[in-house]
Amino acid sequence: MDSPHGAAVKAEDFGLKGPRGWAFRGVGVDAAPGSLIAVEGPSGSGRTCLLLALTGRMKPTRGHAEIGRHRLPKKMAAVRRIAALGPVPGVNDLDQALTVAEQLREGALLQRRYDAPVRALLRPRAERRAHAKARIDAALAAAGLDLAALPKGPRTSVRDLERLEAVRLSIAIALLGSPRLLALDDLDLKLSDTERTEAWDLLRSIAARGITVLAVCSEAPADAVVLRTCPKDPDAPDASTKKDAGTKSDADAKSDAGTKNDAGKKNDTGTGTDTDADAGHDDTKGADDALAEAGRA
């Protein structure tokens, strides 16, 4: 059962195929609300496609998933209403021409325009501004972004932010809509070891609030529920996931996680980027094609 804040994430035999092959396939997971879920694998292995499919932005072609009580692919719009995107390059990039304050105001306006009830638009202007400021302040606090510590405060240009500061800003904007699932791509890209630790600590703090967090990374922390999109070492033990206390990943639910790549190796969680007999192309092309074909919402 879902918590008031987070959304359970479940999937069985979940897959997406592009014109030239599978972006991912055979995914199985069962994570409780408030879990920290990591999609681990090398760049080009279908990680972003999996993230977008689980948040209702890409339509899967095989199996099903449930986000909260909304079943995919049938309820993609409902999933989009409860799942917010943090930084996802090429999908919701920050506007480099804006200041941090302008980017936050734009995010608050868009959230109010598309997600808030109609009655909220009828409030007096001063009340709307005060409400927006309170939401922005709360989101910044949750994302750990102190505007006063920036070089020019709120007037700092987005293009001048450090990588971790930009991640925090994107997360703050995503949190403005009070999502039940927060999803981020390439979390550890261009971060030092210290910054990577800070980023994961931030996501843990958000998950501790009850919000389910789904993050794409190259190397997952030990306490996350892990979905891997890279081939498994054939000499490694047959354990497919790491687990949080109280959450688990249903690796055994994928009987055909025995999808094989050209070398005949099985994937860790079946999030394989291998090719079918009819595909004949590499996994990177399958993921790229799926991204190009998807209608992003």
Side-chain angles (χ1 to χ4, degrees), residues 183-251:
L184 312 87
D185 195 15
D186 286 333
L187 176 67
D188 47 12
L189 179 67
K190 297 182 181 179
L191 294 182
S192 66
D193 291 342
T194 299
E195 290 171 333
R196 190 176 297 113
T197 298
E198 289 183 34
W200 284 114
D201 286 344
L202 169 60
L203 297 191
R204 289 186 188 95
S205 71
I206 293 172
R209 294 169 175 260
I211 300 172
T212 306
V213 178
L214 176 67
V216 167
C217 61
S218 58
E219 184 175 355
D223 59 343
V225 177
V226 182
L227 296 175
R228 294 186 179 86
T229 58
C230 56
K232 184 175 67 175
D233 182 347
D235 298 324
D238 194 26
S240 58
T241 58
K242 305 172 187 176
K243 298 184 271 189
D244 267 332
T247 64
K248 63 180 181 178
S249 189
D250 189 11

Side-chain angles (χ1 to χ4, degrees):
M1 181 177 293
D2 291 337
S3 73
H5 302 292
V9 176
K10 300 180 181 180
E12 183 176 351
D13 195 25
F14 200 51
L16 189 154
K17 190 174 185 179
R20 290 184 289 178
W22 289 96
F24 63 86
R25 65 183 298 187
V27 173
V29 64
D30 187 351
S35 295
L36 177 61
I37 308 169
V39 180
E40 182 184 77
S43 179
S45 63
R47 305 176 308 173
T48 302
C49 294
L50 177 56
L51 178 144
L52 293 175
L54 287 173
T55 55
R57 272 79 178 179
M58 294 182 74
K59 187 174 183 179
T61 53
R62 178 173 175 175
H64 67 272
E66 288 186 10
I67 310 300
R69 298 181 181 181
H70 306 302
R71 189 178 179 93
L72 293 172
K74 186 176 181 180
K75 300 291 186 180
M76 291 176 65
V79 170
R80 289 196 295 270
R81 285 194 290 270
I82 66 170
L85 296 181
V88 181
V91 177
N92 65 339
D93 299 290
L94 296 173
D95 190 334
Q96 303 297 305
L98 298 180
T99 66
V100 172
E102 290 168 342
Q103 189 80 76
L104 286 164
R105 284 198 297 271
E106 180 184 86
L109 286 170
L110 289 173
Q111 192 278 327
R112 187 179 70 197
R113 169 66 177 83
Y114 293 106
D115 297 329
V118 175
R119 63 178 179 274
L121 302 176
L122 303 178
R123 295 172 179 168
R125 180 177 297 178
E127 183 179 344
R128 294 200 305 268
R129 287 178 176 173
H131 181 65
K133 184 180 185 306
R135 284 181 24 247
I136 289 173
D137 289 345
L140 287 171
L145 182 60
D146 182 3
L147 298 187
L150 299 178
K152 296 182 181 180
R155 299 182 63 185
T156 301
S157 175
V158 169
R159 69 168 61 91
D160 294 330
L161 295 176
E162 298 292 338
R163 162 67 179 163
L164 184 55
E165 292 170 340
V167 169
R168 291 183 186 276
L169 176 59
S170 291
I171 290 174
I173 293 170
L175 293 177
L176 289 172
S178 301
R180 297 172 61 195
L181 172 65
L182 171 67
L184 312 87
D185 195 15
D186 286 333
L187 176 67
D188 47 12
L189 179 67
K190 297 182 181 179
L191 294 182
S192 66
D193 291 342
T194 299
E195 290 171 333
R196 190 176 297 113
T197 298
E198 289 183 34
W200 284 114
D201 286 344
L202 169 60
L203 297 191
R204 289 186 188 95
S205 71
I206 293 172
R209 294 169 175 260
I211 300 172
T212 306
V213 178
L214 176 67
V216 167
C217 61
S218 58
E219 184 175 355
D223 59 343
V225 177
V226 182
L227 296 175
R228 294 186 179 86
T229 58
C230 56
K232 184 175 67 175
D233 182 347
D235 298 324
D238 194 26
S240 58
T241 58
K242 305 172 187 176
K243 298 184 271 189
D244 267 332
T247 64
K248 63 180 181 178
S249 189
D250 189 11
D252 294 332
K254 316 169 298 304
S255 60
D256 70 339
T259 55
K260 298 182 179 181
N261 59 16
D262 292 340
K265 298 177 184 177
K266 291 186 179 180
N267 277 338
D268 230 334
T269 60
T271 54
T273 56
D274 52 291
T275 56
D276 272 355
D278 63 337
H281 297 278
D282 64 47
D283 53 345
T284 303
K285 290 180 179 178
D288 289 346
D289 282 347
L291 276 169
E293 293 290 326
R296 291 165 178 166

